[in-house]
């Protein structure tokens, strides 16, 4: 398999980044939903710490991923009708929007709470805004609704991939595996 993409399929780097990000985002959504719904405890604080660290890791990955996307050929979608091509491209760019906006809004929540974001003990991120309860509530709402938007978009994306594989029987899903 080639490292870079070709006009017909994705290369190794794009495939690895796609599935790693998928795992990371699913894990972060499940952890985020769970940790916010359990009573306060040492466990809850540990989960918040993991959520922040892996969330920043997702932000670092998406920078690499977008750079790779913009500097590589992309497999063509020309076999699809125009509306489906437009829908696919919109969903892919919406994912990039979510993958940047969700971790940045999470970083804003932590900043507004006056807490530092330590990334696996490697380094500490600077606070983006000053400590304020009103801002914390505002960024929490943004973070939550963006995450819900990501879940809805993700369901549409998976449904479309499965439709191509099992109903249309084309190579859209296979070229990302
Ligand atoms: C792509 C990455 C991320 C995803 C998909 C994600 C997803 C989520 C989800 C689903 C929730 C639960 C929302 C709810 O129903 O109340 C949540 C909560 C939270 N997230 Fe994230 N998150 C990400 C990155 C981050 C980052 C980088 C930080 C901080 C550095 C962060 C900080 C928080 C905090 C503090 C909460 C709890 C807010 C509260 O107390 O209500 N998140 N996140």
């Amino acid at each position: 398999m080639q490292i870079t993409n070709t006009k017909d399929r994705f290369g190794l780097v794009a495939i690895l980044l796609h599935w790693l990000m998928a795992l990371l985002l699913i894990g972060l959504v499940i952890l985020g939903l769970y940790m916010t719904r359990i009573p306060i405890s040492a466990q809850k604080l540990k989960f918040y710490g993991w959520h922040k660290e892996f969330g920043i890791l997702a932000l670092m990955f998406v920078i690499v991923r977008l750079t790779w996307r913009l500097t590589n050929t992309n497999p063509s979608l020309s076999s699809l009708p125009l509306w489906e091509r437009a829908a696919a491209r919109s969903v892919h760019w919406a994912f990039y929007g979510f993958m940047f906006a969700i971790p940045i809004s999470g970083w804003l929540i932590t900043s507004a709470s006056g807490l530092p974001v330590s990334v696996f003990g490697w380094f500490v991120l600077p606070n983006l805004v000053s400590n304020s309860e009103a801002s914390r509530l505002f960024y929490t709402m943004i973070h939550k609704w963006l995450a819900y938007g990501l879940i809805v978009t993700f369901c549409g994306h998976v449904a479309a991939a499965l439709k191509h594989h099992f109903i249309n029987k084309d190579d859209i899903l296979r070229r990302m595996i």
Side-chain angles (χ1 to χ4, degrees):
M1 181 188 287
Q2 261 191 250
I3 301 282
T4 52
N5 301 345
T6 64
K7 271 276 157 235
D8 300 317
R9 61 169 295 134
F10 289 99
L12 188 63
V13 174
I15 293 178
L16 279 178
L17 284 169
H18 176 272
W19 294 107
L20 263 175
M21 274 309 275
L23 265 181
L24 198 54
L25 295 181
I26 293 169
L28 281 161
V29 166
I30 294 173
L31 183 60
L33 292 174
Y34 178 66
M35 72 185 195
T36 48
R37 284 160 179 77
I38 56 175
I40 185 86
S41 63
Q43 183 93 336
K44 180 174 173 114
L45 297 181
K46 188 171 77 183
F47 289 151
Y48 267 63
W50 288 354
H51 182 81
K52 293 186 215 172
E53 295 190 314
F54 282 96
I56 295 297
L57 190 66
L59 180 60
M60 295 194 280
F61 268 137
V62 75
I63 295 171
V64 176
R65 188 160 179 208
L66 183 61
T67 309
W68 192 257
R69 169 78 166 70
L70 294 176
T71 53
N72 252 262
T73 323
N74 258 287
S76 157
L77 290 176
S78 57
S79 58
L80 305 182
L82 193 63
W83 74 266
E84 224 180 312
R85 236 181 295 165
R89 292 282 178 238
S90 314
V91 165
H92 299 162
W93 287 110
F95 270 122
Y96 280 103
F98 285 125
M99 289 187 293
F100 274 101
I102 297 176
I104 292 173
S105 59
W107 183 359
L108 284 163
I109 304 175
T110 309
S111 299
S113 314
L115 297 169
V117 183
S118 157
V119 185
F120 302 108
W122 301 333
F123 53 89
V124 176
L125 296 178
N127 279 0
L128 298 174
V129 290
S130 52
N131 186 353
S132 140
E133 180 60 8
S135 311
R136 186 187 71 77
L137 291 174
F138 174 71
Y139 294 126
T140 299
M141 185 192 65
I142 302 276
H143 190 68
K144 180 163 112 175
W145 284 102
L146 283 172
Y148 294 169
L150 175 71
I151 297 171
V152 172
T153 311
F154 171 81
C155 293
H157 180 67
V158 172
L162 295 178
K163 170 200 166 266
H164 278 284
H165 193 68
F166 292 108
I167 298 177
N168 302 2
K169 300 194 190 308
D170 58 23
D171 65 346
I172 296 284
L173 176 60
R174 242 173 296 132
R175 65 193 194 173
M176 189 45 109
I177 296 177

